[in-house]
């Protein structure tokens, strides 16, 4: 009869077949329940077993012909469910990867903007060497932030020109770099000049006298 060989040929990855055989007065009561251990959907629990009754001889003769087609149909349905679940998992992974890529791109843009902001500030304050240090930091994002390389190169050329690089006359303006503002978020606060204290009322009265 080649029972197990035929059953094996009808099974795919993860396929299970629960076979229950009970002795009865008329012969045997056999139930066959296909399943799939890889399927997570609760729909797999709604499959009902294939139930057969007959003598042992009848089972030997007609068991496989009776159960193979229903088993194949059930396995096909379970396989479709598994394919759907796999597609959902892939979609979820793709969504998570896309979100991660967007978050990383946003962070890189913010970091680049921070470096460029203090580079431009140092340039305006004639802190040319400090500006170059900041531009080196901004250049790290040249491959991840669109248009960043050209912005870095443009400002770098201005800074080098201010430092007198390539000029036979040297720098036109003294470099005021102090290394205090060379990291994003580390800008030194500029304090406003202290206001002169107003004279108190009694002091004003004494002066009038």
């Amino acid at each position: 009869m080649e029972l197990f060989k035929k059953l094996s040929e009808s099974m795919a990855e993860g396929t299970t077949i629960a076979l229950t055989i009970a002795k009865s007065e008329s012969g045997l009561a056999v139930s066959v329940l296909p399943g799939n251990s890889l399927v997570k959907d609760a729909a797999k629990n709604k499959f009902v077993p294939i139930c057969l009754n007959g003598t042992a001889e009848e089972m030997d003769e007609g068991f496989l012909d009776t159960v193979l087609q229903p088993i194949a149909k059930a396995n096909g349905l379970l396989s479709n469910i598994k394919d759907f679940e796999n597609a959902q998992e892939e979609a979820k992974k793709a969504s998570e990867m896309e979100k991660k890529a967007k978050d990383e791109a946003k962070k890189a843009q913010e970091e680049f903007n921070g470096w460029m902001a203090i580079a431009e500030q140092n340039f305006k304050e004639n802190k040319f060497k400090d500006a170059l240090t900041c531009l080196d930091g901004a250049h790290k994002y040249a491959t991840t932030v669109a248009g960043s390389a050209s912005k870095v190169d443009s400002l770098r050329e201005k800074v080098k020109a201010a430092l007198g690089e390539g000029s036979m006359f040297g720098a036109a303006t003294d470099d005021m770099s102090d290394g205090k503002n060379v990291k994003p978020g580390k800008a030194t606060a500029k304090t406003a000049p202290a206001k002169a204290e107003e004279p108190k009322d009694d002091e004003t009265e004494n002066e009038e006298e």
Side-chain angles (χ1 to χ4, degrees):
M1 184 172 63
E2 299 182 324
L3 173 63
F4 290 103
K5 182 177 183 297
K6 294 293 184 180
L7 289 177
S8 176
E9 291 173 352
S10 70
M11 299 172 72
E13 182 184 3
T15 299
T16 61
I17 297 178
L19 182 64
T20 304
I21 305 174
K23 181 76 172 178
S24 66
E25 293 181 0
S26 59
L28 297 175
V30 181
S31 67
V32 182
L33 181 60
N36 192 312
S37 60
L38 300 180
V39 173
K40 300 176 183 178
D41 196 290
K44 70 178 182 179
N45 298 323
K46 295 183 179 181
F47 281 76
V48 295
I50 305 163
C51 298
L52 303 175
N53 291 282
T55 64
E57 291 77 13
E58 290 173 334
M59 291 296 175
D60 285 338
E61 291 179 5
F63 176 77
L64 281 175
D65 292 338
T66 304
V67 301
L68 283 180
Q69 185 175 354
I71 287 176
K73 184 177 180 180
N75 286 339
L77 292 173
L78 290 167
S79 179
N80 290 340
I81 295 173
K82 182 57 184 171
D83 289 343
F84 177 74
E85 290 178 341
N86 290 341
Q88 284 186 315
E89 287 294 326
E90 291 300 320
K92 181 180 178 182
K93 289 179 181 178
S95 178
E96 290 174 349
M97 289 176 65
E98 183 178 358
K99 182 179 182 301
K100 182 179 179 181
K102 287 182 178 179
D103 290 343
E104 290 177 349
K106 181 181 179 181
K107 183 178 179 181
Q109 183 69 63
E110 291 174 349
E111 289 286 339
F112 173 75
N113 291 343
W115 282 111
M116 287 301 294
I118 55 174
E120 290 168 355
Q121 180 182 340
N122 282 324
F123 177 66
K124 290 176 182 178
E125 296 175 358
N126 296 334
K127 299 179 181 180
F128 306 125
K129 291 181 180 179
D130 287 348
L132 288 176
T133 299
C134 297
L135 288 173
D136 288 339
H139 185 69
K140 297 175 184 178
Y141 302 93
T143 58
T144 55
V145 178
S148 60
S150 60
K151 292 180 180 179
V152 171
D153 292 341
S154 177
L155 184 55
R156 192 186 299 274
E157 290 302 315
K158 293 179 181 180
V159 174
K160 288 182 177 180
L163 284 170
E165 291 189 17
S167 172
M168 61 184 297
F169 301 105
T173 306
D174 290 337
D175 181 29
M176 305 299 291
S177 296
D178 54 13
K180 293 182 179 180
N181 186 21
V182 291
K183 289 184 180 180
K186 300 295 184 180
T188 54
K190 294 184 179 180
T191 56
K195 294 182 179 179
E197 293 185 1
E198 296 181 359
K200 297 180 180 179
D201 293 342
D202 55 347
E203 292 179 354
T204 304
E205 291 175 0
N206 291 336
E207 289 177 0
E208 291 178 352
E209 293 175 359

